[in-house]
Amino acid sequence: MRIVTAEEMYAIDRYTIEHIGISEESLMENAGQAVAKVLLHKLSHHHRIAVIAGIGNNGGDGFVVARVLKSFGYITDLWLIPPKEKLKGAAKQALTIYERSGYEVNHYVGNEERFHQQLCCYDVIIDAMLGIGVKGPLRSPYKEIIEMINKLETPSVYAIDIPSGIPADGGAVDTAIQADVTITIQSPKLSAYLYPTADFYGEVITVDIGIPPIAIDKRAAYRKCWTENDVVKTLPRRPRFSHKGTFGKGMVIGGSRNMSGAITMTAKAALRSGAGLLTMAIPDDISSVAATHVPEVMYYPCPSENGHFRGEIDLSNFDLDAVAIGPGMGRTAGTKQIVKTVLEQEIPVVLDADALYFWKDYESLVQHRTAVTVLTPHPGEMARMLDISVNEVENNRFGIAKRFATEYGVYLVLKGPYTIITTPEGEQFVNTTGNPALAKGGSGDVLTGMIVAFLMQHQHVHEAICNAIYVHGKAADELVQSNHSPLDVLASDVIDAIPKTLYDLYQKKHS
């Protein structure tokens, strides 16, 4: 499922109409029929429904939806907000078909008081007022109407394509529909995965309207939701005659006197995610403590100073397939030196947490690596690495992630709700699992272990990273859907939930 900007969606429509030959009227009819099909399964015949429409294509989709609902016997009122004379093109034709089908239009202009009185009597409101072209503050009467709808407690609100008032590409929100469900057309828009706009969408359901994939390939950058189907399709199979070396010899490097738990969680998560052989490199100061927590790993105690890495590590005696470094290391000169030493090895490396703190000291080293490099910053770390504010990162997550990944030739995991994975070629994948239970110390350490384990088992790097992130979020989802609340979940609980999550996915793979 591809994700598009407003400009790309317009270009996709033009290509479909001008080059493929599907008319704008056909696309609008397809869109309305597809949205109505979802609504027919969700709504009841005893619901009183209002379709509130504007004059653009979003309104045209609403006209089709209203016609279909009425033809199936649903109690539906169509309210047209602007004067009818402003309608043009496919939307005008859609309203003409609606009226010729014997159905009545309720006009807002001249009937404002009746509209206000009836609004609170509806069980369902379908928002077809404003589409993806919204920019800046809303004008009257849309602003007032949206504010009225948002204050109502009774009706369920369904938005067509995008909640009215939301900028399609994300950004600040002045006034916008707070939807319970958004039925988005053909491709989700960027704002469905960005803060604060994503909070207005509610549940997102995407409907196909028959636009051939070539139109999207020709006119949109590669952004894709990573779904359960993708995970099931790409999870590696284990050959019957495999052995522990088949699934990678990995190393996790981290920990310090005050943060010994971080690297042990990374190691446990890697083992639970299928790593064949794992070595945990830690300061010798904490080796006796750490060794009691993860008996399944091999240990490499490194010289320490004041409970932290002193800066020396020798990897020449290790035949490694991948390394993860950073959790719990601390921001010391020793950490910086260890990271540089690791980056000089031509093996896949995952940089996380404190390993990202000294980014400017080894960014040129990363840029010239030929081996795979994976960076996993949260927005605060990304902001520090780029010398910009967190708000600047959050307001342009897709753009910043793409520029960074392509400039440095890395796989960038920009964490957060809807984590974005970007390849060195600029392809982007959006994770849709996870919940606020992961907003807790240690969650990132767990993810790092899962990524390094999956890197050693998957054929393609982006599939390994996307699958690790999906399973990480899915494990947290399973916890809050069973016997946990979003408040009480620990990072170690997520590790414990990995086996069940993987079991369910493999059952689907083999079914």
Side-chain angles (χ1 to χ4, degrees):
M1 185 167 59
R2 297 283 287 274
I3 303 165
V4 299
T5 66
E7 183 178 346
E8 287 169 348
M9 194 67 242
Y10 288 133
I12 291 166
D13 285 343
R14 286 195 301 271
Y15 186 92
T16 303
I17 295 165
E18 297 170 5
H19 294 272
I20 295 177
I22 302 175
S23 68
E24 184 179 12
E25 291 78 11
S26 294
L27 289 177
M28 185 169 290
E29 180 69 22
N30 291 352
Q33 292 281 354
V35 171
K37 185 177 181 180
V38 173
L39 292 169
L40 289 172
H41 284 91
K42 285 185 168 288
L43 305 184
S44 168
H45 276 88
H46 72 264
H47 285 147
R48 187 175 179 194
I49 304 163
V51 178
I52 305 177
I55 59 171
N57 285 352
N58 198 246
D61 297 337
F63 303 152
V64 179
V65 168
R67 190 189 83 229
V68 174
L69 291 178
K70 290 179 79 69
S71 70
F72 277 88
Y74 287 77
I75 307 166
T76 306
D77 291 338
L78 172 63
W79 283 94
L80 178 61
I81 302 304
K84 181 180 177 180
E85 295 73 32
K86 291 190 175 183
L87 285 169
K88 57 183 179 180
K92 181 178 181 179
Q93 180 174 329
L95 185 61
T96 299
I97 294 172
Y98 174 88
E99 292 180 305
R100 288 177 179 175
S101 298
Y103 303 131
E104 180 184 355
V105 179
N106 294 283
H107 295 277
Y108 174 81
V109 177
N111 298 285
E112 292 88 348
E113 186 174 346
R114 182 164 67 91
F115 174 83
H116 297 159
Q117 290 173 347
Q118 290 191 11
L119 197 58
C120 63
C121 300
Y122 293 109
D123 302 299
V124 175
I125 291 176
I126 298 171
D127 164 31
M129 289 181 282
L130 302 168
I132 62 176
V134 168
K135 294 180 180 178
L138 297 185
R139 298 178 179 177
S140 183
Y142 292 107
K143 180 179 177 66
E144 293 78 12
I145 291 172
I146 290 172
E147 288 174 344
M148 288 176 59
I149 293 173
N150 287 343
K151 289 178 181 177
L152 297 174
E153 296 181 2
T154 304
S156 298
V157 179
Y158 291 80
I160 297 178
D161 199 29
I162 187 171
S164 288
I166 291 294
D169 298 344
V173 179
D174 173 45
T175 303
I177 283 287
Q178 182 64 64
D180 296 297
V181 179
T182 297
I183 307 172
T184 194
I185 294 169
Q186 193 65 45
S187 295
K189 315 309 178 285
L190 289 192
S191 57
Y193 305 102
L194 296 172
Y195 175 83
T197 48
D199 286 340
F200 289 83
Y201 276 79
E203 179 189 0
V204 178
I205 300 171
T206 303
V207 293
D208 188 283
I209 65 168
I211 292 178
I214 191 174
I216 302 174
D217 291 337
K218 290 280 188 182
R219 292 295 181 263
Y222 195 93
R223 301 179 209 87
K224 181 182 185 297
C225 284
W226 195 256
T227 66
E228 183 180 271
N229 286 338
D230 296 309
V231 180
V232 170
K233 184 169 62 175
T234 58
L235 276 175
R237 294 179 181 271
R238 292 210 158 192
R240 184 176 179 183
F241 293 100
S242 56
H243 54 84
K244 58 189 177 183
T246 308
F247 307 111
K249 300 173 183 177
M251 177 179 285
V252 293
I253 306 172
S256 59
R257 185 183 297 160
N258 295 329
M259 293 182 286
S260 61
I263 196 64
T264 59
M265 286 191 290
T266 301
K268 286 181 179 179
L271 291 170
R272 284 296 189 192
S273 300
L277 287 167
L278 192 67
T279 299
M280 191 161 71
I282 51 178
D284 55 18
D285 192 7
I286 65 167
S287 60
S288 60
V289 175
T292 63
H293 291 285
V294 196
E296 296 89 351
V297 304
M298 296 172 286
Y299 289 89
Y300 175 25
C302 299
S304 64
E305 183 176 2
N306 298 323
H308 294 84
F309 285 93
R310 195 166 68 197
E312 300 107 65
I313 189 168
D314 183 5
L315 300 180
S316 59
N317 294 324
F318 295 91
D319 180 21
L320 297 172
D321 296 302
V323 173
I325 180 169
M329 290 185 77
R331 300 169 180 179
T332 66
T335 292
K336 179 166 62 175
Q337 185 55 51
I338 294 283
V339 174
K340 282 187 175 181
T341 300
V342 170
L343 288 171
E344 288 167 355
Q345 316 301 310
E346 283 303 307
I347 53 177
V349 174
V350 182
L351 299 181
D352 180 46
D354 293 327
L356 299 171
Y357 185 76
F358 298 101
W359 168 250
K360 295 191 182 302
D361 291 284
Y362 39 76
E363 58 181 333
S364 60
L365 181 58
V366 168
Q367 203 164 22
H368 292 94
R369 293 189 87 231
T370 57
V372 168
T373 310
V374 183
L375 279 65
T376 63
H378 57 60
E381 291 166 333
M382 189 85 259
R384 186 177 64 244
M385 292 162 68
L386 294 173
D387 285 328
I388 60 177
S389 70
V390 174
N391 282 340
E392 288 176 277
V393 173
E394 293 288 50
N395 288 336
N396 189 21
R397 284 171 60 85
F398 285 93
I400 285 173
K402 185 173 182 176
R403 285 197 298 272
F404 188 96
T406 54
E407 178 180 351
Y408 290 101
V410 300
Y411 290 85
L412 184 73
V413 177
L414 183 52
K415 293 188 287 195
Y418 303 116
T419 291
I420 301 171
I421 303 95
T422 309
T423 72
E425 297 75 35
E427 292 185 342
Q428 295 187 298
F429 304 88
V430 176
N431 183 60
T432 55
T433 60
N435 60 75
L438 291 171
K440 193 168 289 185
S443 293
D445 305 322
V446 172
L447 178 59
T448 297
M450 298 177 71
I451 291 174
V452 75
F454 277 36
L455 281 175
M456 296 188 295
Q457 300 172 77
H458 286 67
Q459 183 177 357
H460 299 291
V461 175
H462 78 273
E463 292 176 356
I465 299 170
C466 290
N467 284 351
I469 294 167
Y470 183 96
V471 172
H472 180 255
K474 186 67 173 177
D477 290 343
E478 295 288 347
L479 288 169
V480 299
Q481 290 166 11
S482 55
N483 58 344
H484 285 270
S485 74
L487 282 71
D488 66 80
V489 173
L490 304 178
S492 54
D493 294 327
V494 177
I495 297 173
D496 293 339
I498 292 172
K500 176 63 164 58
T501 304
L502 286 173
Y503 174 83
D504 290 342
L505 291 168
Y506 270 100
Q507 287 293 105
K508 292 175 182 177
K509 185 177 183 72
H510 297 302
S511 63

